[in-house]
């Protein structure tokens, strides 16, 4: 299954304060972004709050942001940046696509307010089989283009062929996403155990390799970390 510990290249975010799954009040809806479709990959969410794109924010790979912060916090004359924040921790927010349009409207309002807390990034989850693809991409696009936030978009292997994954990644790239959390994913609804799509990937390693081969260095790729070994693995030594 997928772990909640994010690893970015050789660095992890275990020192970050991750605030997740905030309760959503679906009674307040102002913003709508459901007009973003997979067929219309370059479209951006329509909102009543924002009318212009946030052009002051330069999109970055999250690992580059972490290294930049560590370098800025290093002591004068230090050869290497400190291994952890020396002034204050950085943190992220995680959001999952609501099931209703009212809930989605409310989520945009929450993101608009919570951006003022200046998280290092936000991450947006992905439904098994790509069932939330439209909403996930719409949330990611809105957060980046209107709120000036860097987004880490989840992507799982569950229920997806290689072509479906390629299409999702193309849509993410066109929406301005520069960071992907590559996951195998959990078993689909009604399944007792996880199984790969016949034309898909067997694990996150294959997914990471595919992203690099097809999209080069465009995406910063994060993965799930299992410090005690994967539950389905043959042991830590074998995993390594």
């Amino acid at each position: 299954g997928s772990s909640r510990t994010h690893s970015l290249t050789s660095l992890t975010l275990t020192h970050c304060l991750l605030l997740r799954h905030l309760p959503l009040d679906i009674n307040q809806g102002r913003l709508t972004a459901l007009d973003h479709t997979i067929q219309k990959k370059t479209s951006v969410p329509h909102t009543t709050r924002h009318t212009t794109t946030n052009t002051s924010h330069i999109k970055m790979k999250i690992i580059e942001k972490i290294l930049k912060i560590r370098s800025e916090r290093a002591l004068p004359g230090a050869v290497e940046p400190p291994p952890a924040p020396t002034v204050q921790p950085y943190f992220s927010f995680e959001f999952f696509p609501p099931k209703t349009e009212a809930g989605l409207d409310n989520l945009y309002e929450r993101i608009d307010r919570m951006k003022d807390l200046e998280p290092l990034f936000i991450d947006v989850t992905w439904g098994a089989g790509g069932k939330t693809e439209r909403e996930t991409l719409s949330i990611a696009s809105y957060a980046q283009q209107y709120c000036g936030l860097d987004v880490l978009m989840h992507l799982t292997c569950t229920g997806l062929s290689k072509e479906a994954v390629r299409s999702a990644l193309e849509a993410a790239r066109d929406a301005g996403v520069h960071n992907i959390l590559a996951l195998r994913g959990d078993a689909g609804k009604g399944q007792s155990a996880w199984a790969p799509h016949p034309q898909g990937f067997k694990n996150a390693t294959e997914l990471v390799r595919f992203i690099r081969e097809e999209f080069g260095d465009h995406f910063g790729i994060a993965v799930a970390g299992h410090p005690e070994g994967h539950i389905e693995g043959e042991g830590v030594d074998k995993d390594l």
Side-chain angles (χ1 to χ4, degrees):
S2 59
S3 167
R4 292 300 185 185
T5 303
H6 297 173
S7 173
L8 293 147
T9 309
S10 60
L11 300 176
T12 64
L13 298 182
T14 53
H15 55 272
C16 297
L17 173 60
L18 299 178
L19 306 179
R20 304 171 181 277
H21 297 266
L22 300 177
L24 296 178
D25 175 3
I26 64 173
N27 294 321
Q28 302 176 23
R30 297 183 184 177
L31 309 177
T32 301
L34 285 176
D35 58 340
H36 179 91
T37 64
I38 305 308
Q39 291 75 25
K40 215 171 183 180
K41 295 176 182 177
T42 56
S43 65
V44 296
H46 168 71
T47 74
T48 56
R49 180 180 297 275
H50 297 286
T51 58
T52 59
T53 301
N54 185 326
T55 58
S56 62
H57 176 69
I58 301 176
K59 300 179 183 69
M60 296 180 66
K61 293 177 183 176
I62 295 167
I63 185 62
E64 293 173 351
K65 292 186 71 172
I66 292 175
L67 291 174
K68 183 175 183 293
I69 291 173
R70 289 175 62 196
S71 177
E72 290 172 348
R73 293 177 178 178
L75 297 174
V79 178
E80 294 289 337
T86 57
V87 179
Q88 63 183 42
Y90 34 86
F91 59 92
S92 68
F93 296 130
E94 179 174 294
F95 300 102
F96 58 93
K99 296 180 179 180
T100 66
E101 184 173 350
L104 189 61
D105 289 342
N106 181 68
L107 178 58
Y108 288 122
E109 184 174 339
R110 297 296 178 96
I111 294 174
D112 194 41
R113 294 204 304 267
M114 293 174 70
K115 76 177 189 301
D116 295 334
L117 297 174
E118 299 183 350
L120 184 71
F121 66 94
I122 69 166
D123 58 301
V124 185
T125 64
W126 177 272
K131 63 184 179 182
T132 66
E133 179 176 3
R134 182 185 179 208
E135 291 79 9
T136 295
L137 286 166
S138 185
I139 293 167
S141 178
Y142 174 81
Q144 292 192 143
Q145 297 190 45
Y146 293 99
C147 299
L149 295 169
D150 286 300
V151 175
L152 174 65
M153 192 187 88
H154 294 208
L155 182 62
T156 73
C157 304
T158 304
L160 295 179
S161 67
K162 291 182 180 179
E163 288 306 311
V165 168
R166 179 183 288 108
S167 177
L169 289 165
E170 289 173 347
R173 178 193 60 196
D174 294 344
V177 174
H178 285 264
N179 301 279
I180 297 292
L181 176 59
L183 302 166
R184 187 201 73 173
D186 298 317
K189 187 175 182 181
Q191 295 181 327
S192 58
W194 190 88
H197 187 283
Q199 287 80 47
F201 304 98
K202 292 183 294 185
N203 49 51
T205 300
E206 291 187 356
L207 175 57
V208 170
R209 187 176 295 118
F210 177 82
I211 296 172
R212 278 287 175 255
E213 290 174 351
E214 296 293 321
F215 295 88
D217 194 44
H218 175 81
F219 294 109
I221 304 175
V223 298
H226 301 270
E228 298 179 356
H230 195 282
I231 189 173
E232 299 175 11
E234 300 178 18
V236 176
D237 292 338
K238 185 71 172 179
D239 286 347
L240 294 175

